[in-house]
């Protein structure tokens, strides 16, 4: 279930960056913003208490880590809270590191693509080969199905297709578009 920061008790805890601990309180009072199907699941498992702590990294709250207990009369103590907070902060760092790794991989892939384009341009005097290599990298890096290059022809005032990639037909290769006409 998605939560908006500041919505309900858990959302308020995320907004303030403070843990939320609820012991032996009827489920209906725990969080009135829970969807009924989620509330029914908690009732089915006999949840008696829960604790949610913020996942903090780089000075921000990036999520929440929660635990529940179905045994009545077992409260969460300060040791539990400190332990869960340490785990949550480690998890937050792992998430941030994974996101940074993904970002660095994307940057490296784009740099490799630019290098491939550079090799194609400097290695060939045939414009169509160079443009084909460019479109190959564009479709791959941008994860698009098709791409094309149109060049403005000032004599005919048309846009002429000079390179295409990924289209299911070659009809575009023989198409011109009038400038200013959509």
């Amino acid at each position: 279930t998605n939560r908006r920061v500041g919505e309900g008790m858990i959302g308020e805890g995320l907004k303030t960056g403070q843990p939320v601990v609820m012991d032996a309180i009827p489920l209906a009072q725990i969080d009135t913003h829970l969807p009924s199907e989620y509330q029914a699941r908690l009732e089915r498992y006999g949840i008696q208490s829960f604790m949610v702590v913020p996942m903090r990294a780089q000075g921000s709250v990036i999520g929440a880590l929660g635990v529940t207990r179905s045994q009545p009369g077992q409260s969460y103590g300060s040791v539990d809270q400190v332990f869960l907070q340490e785990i949550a902060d480690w998890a937050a760092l792992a998430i941030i590191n994974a996101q940074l790794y993904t970002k660095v991989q994307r940057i490296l892939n784009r740099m490799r693509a630019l290098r491939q384009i550079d090799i194609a341009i400097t290695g060939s005097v045939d414009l169509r080969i160079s443009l084909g290599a460019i479109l190959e990298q564009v479709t791959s890096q941008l994860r698009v199905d098709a791409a094309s290059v149109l060049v403005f022809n000032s004599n005919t005032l048309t846009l002429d297709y000079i390179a295409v990639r990924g289209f299911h037909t070659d009809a575009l290769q023989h198409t011109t578009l009038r400038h200013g006409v959509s």
Side-chain angles (χ1 to χ4, degrees):
T1 300
N2 293 333
R3 308 269 337 134
R4 290 190 183 275
V5 174
E7 192 177 87
M9 297 170 81
I10 295 170
E12 186 63 32
L14 289 174
K15 185 172 139 184
T16 64
Q18 298 300 312
V20 175
V21 179
M22 299 299 291
D23 286 314
I25 293 184
L27 185 62
Q29 294 177 11
I30 289 177
D31 196 332
T32 58
H33 290 88
L34 289 177
S36 59
E37 68 273 6
Y38 190 62
Q39 212 166 16
R41 241 181 274 145
L42 293 178
E43 288 172 354
R44 183 174 358 132
Y45 295 115
I47 303 302
Q48 298 292 315
S49 59
F50 73 86
M51 177 172 47
V52 177
V53 297
M55 296 173 68
R56 305 174 300 202
Q58 299 178 334
S60 298
V61 174
I62 66 161
L65 179 61
V67 294
T68 62
R69 283 193 173 139
S70 57
Q71 303 87 4
Q74 289 191 343
S75 299
Y76 291 105
S78 61
V79 172
D80 297 325
Q81 188 175 326
V82 168
F83 178 70
L84 189 61
Q85 187 64 67
E86 287 179 11
I87 292 172
D89 290 344
W90 278 98
L93 285 173
I95 290 169
I96 293 294
N97 285 340
Q99 290 171 340
L100 288 173
Y101 178 79
T102 300
K103 185 177 182 178
V104 166
Q105 288 300 109
R106 194 169 38 249
I107 290 169
L108 285 173
N109 286 339
R110 290 193 174 172
M111 289 176 68
R112 284 188 197 110
L114 290 173
R115 179 65 181 132
Q116 291 299 317
I117 290 169
D118 179 50
I119 290 169
I121 290 171
T122 58
S124 175
V125 292
D126 186 341
L127 180 61
R128 293 186 192 278
I129 291 174
S130 297
L131 291 175
I134 290 170
L135 290 179
E136 180 180 337
Q137 294 302 321
V138 166
T139 55
S140 172
Q141 293 300 313
L142 297 179
R143 295 184 181 116
V144 296
D145 298 321
S148 60
V149 176
L150 295 90
V151 173
F152 180 67
N153 182 329
S154 59
N155 294 329
T156 61
L157 299 178
T158 58
L159 293 170
D160 300 331
Y161 284 86
I162 61 168
V164 296
R165 178 174 172 82
F167 291 98
H168 296 293
T169 177
D170 63 350
L172 288 177
Q173 294 173 356
H174 310 291
T175 304
T176 59
L177 299 175
R178 299 271 321 145
H179 178 66
V181 177
S182 25

